[in-house]
Amino acid sequence: MFRQLDDYLGNASRPSLSQIILWHGCEESDEDMDIEAARLLTEKMPSRPPFAVQQLQGIPLMATLIHYCRTTSRCTASTELALWIERNGYRMIENEPRREICIPHEQTGDPEAYVAEVQIAVERA
């Protein structure tokens, strides 16, 4: 998805910027979710199907977890963060996608590993 997105964006984004993934529907099912790939833009540009240019909505309170993962194994960071939320008096805000910001592989020096931050919108339970 990121190759297609970068081809579309051309010079409007810097390929070295982090990849952003929006995970919709995670709270209902781990197998049935909608995923969006995104990049930060350095220039304004219009939307053109199938791509949409939009600004992410500000979230007043987020639970976050920075983690190191390997592409060759299952990542449990989002599940671990969800458990922390439940155990610490918070609840996830419904209909808000989970966000994951990934540092490109080129910057980690290991093509099978990445560092990422998972962000989940929360409120006090």
Side-chain angles (χ1 to χ4, degrees):
M1 289 190 328
F2 281 103
R3 277 193 212 118
Q4 291 175 344
L5 179 59
D6 289 343
D7 287 346
Y8 168 70
L9 293 173
N11 292 330
S13 78
R14 294 187 184 139
S16 63
L17 291 176
S18 300
Q19 298 173 336
I20 302 168
I21 304 167
L22 302 176
W23 305 85
H24 300 272
C26 295
E27 55 280 348
E28 287 95 34
S29 168
D30 282 342
E31 278 99 45
D32 187 28
M33 67 182 89
D34 183 25
I35 299 172
E36 290 182 78
R39 290 251 195 219
L40 298 174
L41 296 179
T42 56
E43 301 173 13
K44 289 186 177 186
M45 66 182 306
S47 294
R48 187 178 60 188
F51 302 100
V53 176
Q54 60 189 10
Q55 184 171 348
L56 288 178
Q57 157 184 332
I59 303 293
L61 188 60
M62 298 277 259
T64 67
L65 175 64
I66 296 174
H67 64 285
Y68 178 83
C69 282
R70 300 197 56 78
T71 57
T72 54
S73 61
R74 182 176 168 97
C75 181
T76 61
S78 186
T79 303
E80 290 170 23
L81 185 56
L83 289 172
W84 182 93
I85 290 167
E86 289 177 10
R87 292 178 182 154
N88 287 277
Y90 295 92
R91 69 174 157 251
M92 291 178 257
I93 296 177
E94 290 185 30
N95 300 319
E96 282 295 333
R98 293 181 188 185
R99 300 175 183 184
E100 187 167 15
I101 302 169
C102 302
I103 295 174
H105 296 244
E106 299 82 36
Q107 293 180 21
T108 65
D110 182 350
E112 293 184 5
Y114 64 93
V115 176
E117 179 181 18
V118 176
Q119 303 174 344
I120 300 177
V122 296
E123 60 190 1
R124 282 272 179 202

